[in-house]
Amino acid sequence: MTNNNLSFLFLGGSYRVGMARLFKQACKKRGLSCRIVGYELSKLCPLASEGEIVEGLRWDDPSIFEHFEDLRMQYGIDAVIPFVDPAVELAARYSYYTAGDVFAPASAPELCSVMFDKVAAANRFESLGLPIPRTYRQGDPCLRLIAKPRFGSASAGLIQINSLEKLDEILLLGDKYLIQERIDRRTEISVDCYIGVADGEIYAVSPRERLRVNGGEVVLTKTIADSDICDLSMKVLELTGLRGAVTIQFIRDLDTGSLLLMEINPRLGGGAPASVYAGADIPGLIISETLGQKPVFSKAEAGFVVTRCLTDVVFAPGHNTPLYGKQ
């Protein structure tokens, strides 16, 4: 941090304009100025309305850490915030690379890798005794199934299985899918959490119902009060050893009332602003750890509804700075 200014490198946060504004508000509340630097393949992205965009390398480029170091010198980067799956392990490894001089609100890279492999994650959850939909094993007498791409995200590529022929077709593909029992009558719940990277203590647990989803992204969500969900979330966090910003996905089976763990995204979720507005000050918790301070537990209120909409960010010919859309 220089001159009371914190600089955040957003990795893959092209559309996270609302979260960028919340980071700025959290900094202002603490008497700090805030710089947002977006790392994208193109400068023409919505986040340009809240910060400066640099044209970055692809996540698997072997020289990406060297590029991060250049940006660190240029912008005084204090923390890296990952918003897409491939960037999470990268952020964690870069923090280790800098010996912690650059903070990342992320779990250990090896644990992140397990969470992004649906088969490995399901095996881990089962070994920990956590409740998940029944995983299909060959010979099981169940045809109400769903196949999930092993390394997929945002609900892309899900295949519903309603016949033996479709099941055989998926099984022939080997281990490319996780096949589980399908819960047709359900409610979907996300829980926005924050666990101290330095001390492993839980500082935020905020459940919210996913009321409307478009392309895997929640567009209407409501914070809720549910002690069962909060208790199970705490258990999940304690057993898995996750750190930093974490989004837990549950479903509640409306026929049995069972609460089932679906997956864990070890990063900020797209709907996390709802929890922040409700009182779970996750940007503030990240800021505290970036500054080497101990965070303070923050509790979210139930009943906050956030709906998301499309808006316009306009770039004039030959310019990378938005002409319209910048606040």
Side-chain angles (χ1 to χ4, degrees):
M1 183 177 71
T2 58
N3 300 321
N4 290 325
N5 179 78
L6 278 179
S7 294
F8 298 95
L9 184 63
F10 277 25
L11 304 182
S14 174
Y15 296 100
R16 305 308 182 198
V17 174
M19 186 57 75
R21 291 173 181 167
L22 290 171
F23 268 85
K24 288 184 175 182
Q25 291 173 18
C27 280
K28 184 177 181 180
K29 182 179 178 181
R30 291 159 177 78
L32 304 169
S33 59
C34 178
R35 168 182 273 171
I36 303 293
V37 181
Y39 198 81
E40 302 293 334
L41 293 177
S42 170
K43 290 190 174 184
L44 305 181
C45 65
L47 188 63
S49 64
E50 291 297 327
E52 185 169 344
I53 307 300
V54 297
E55 290 187 356
L57 305 174
R58 295 192 176 277
W59 305 126
D60 59 354
D61 193 299
S63 61
I64 195 166
F65 280 6
E66 294 176 22
H67 194 200
F68 285 177
E69 284 292 272
D70 290 341
L71 297 177
R72 180 185 174 192
M73 295 300 104
Q74 182 179 354
Y75 295 102
I77 300 299
D78 297 292
V80 287
I81 314 296
F83 288 92
V84 292
D85 294 354
V88 178
E89 290 181 62
L90 195 65
R93 288 195 288 114
Y94 181 60
S95 183
Y96 293 142
Y97 177 85
T98 66
D101 289 340
V102 176
F103 178 70
S107 302
E110 300 78 14
L111 185 51
C112 295
S113 180
V114 171
M115 294 301 117
F116 291 131
D117 178 340
K118 286 185 172 57
V119 172
N123 290 337
R124 178 70 61 86
F125 299 154
E126 283 186 323
S127 71
L128 295 173
L130 295 170
I132 66 172
R134 185 165 61 89
T135 300
Y136 175 79
R137 268 84 183 187
Q138 291 200 38
D140 285 352
C142 177
L143 283 179
R144 193 177 65 174
L145 301 170
I146 188 165
K148 307 172 183 179
R150 182 169 184 170
F151 298 101
S153 62
S155 300
L158 299 181
I159 300 174
Q160 299 208 25
I161 300 174
N162 295 307
S163 68
L164 286 171
E165 291 76 17
K166 176 58 72 172
L167 176 59
D168 289 340
E169 181 183 319
I170 298 299
L171 291 175
L172 286 174
L173 298 175
D175 62 355
K176 293 183 178 180
Y177 288 86
L178 169 67
I179 304 175
Q180 290 184 316
E181 182 180 5
R182 190 176 75 241
I183 311 298
D184 291 326
R185 282 181 24 86
R186 67 187 186 274
T187 54
E188 299 183 4
I189 302 105
S190 291
V191 187
D192 301 308
C193 309
Y194 193 83
I195 312 96
V197 174
D199 59 20
E201 293 187 28
I202 299 171
Y203 291 105
V205 175
S206 173
R208 52 184 171 81
E209 190 173 354
R210 289 159 59 92
L211 299 174
R212 189 180 306 141
V213 178
N214 186 4
E217 279 274 320
V218 65
V219 294
L220 180 65
T221 188
K222 179 180 180 180
T223 59
I224 60 175
D226 190 308
S227 59
D228 290 339
I229 293 173
C230 289
D231 289 346
L232 183 53
S233 297
M234 301 276 278
K235 180 179 179 180
V236 168
L237 296 174
E238 290 165 357
L239 289 177
T240 57
L242 288 157
R243 297 287 188 273
V246 171
T247 307
I248 307 175
Q249 306 282 4
F250 292 109
I251 61 171
R252 191 184 294 280
D253 187 329
L254 295 179
D255 292 323
T256 66
S258 300
L259 191 62
L260 302 171
L261 173 62
M262 297 299 290
E263 63 180 35
I264 300 175
N265 292 317
R267 58 172 172 79
L268 282 165
S275 290
V276 180
Y277 284 117
D281 185 18
I282 296 175
L285 298 173
I286 292 173
I287 290 167
S288 292
E289 288 217 280
T290 300
L291 296 174
Q293 301 169 354
K294 185 175 177 62
V296 177
F297 182 85
S298 58
K299 181 176 176 59
E301 286 185 52
F304 276 72
V305 177
V306 172
T307 182
R308 307 168 82 187
C309 65
L310 295 176
T311 189
D312 300 314
V313 177
V314 182
F315 299 87
H319 294 273
N320 292 322
T321 301
L323 181 63
Y324 301 107
K326 192 175 180 68
Q327 286 200 342

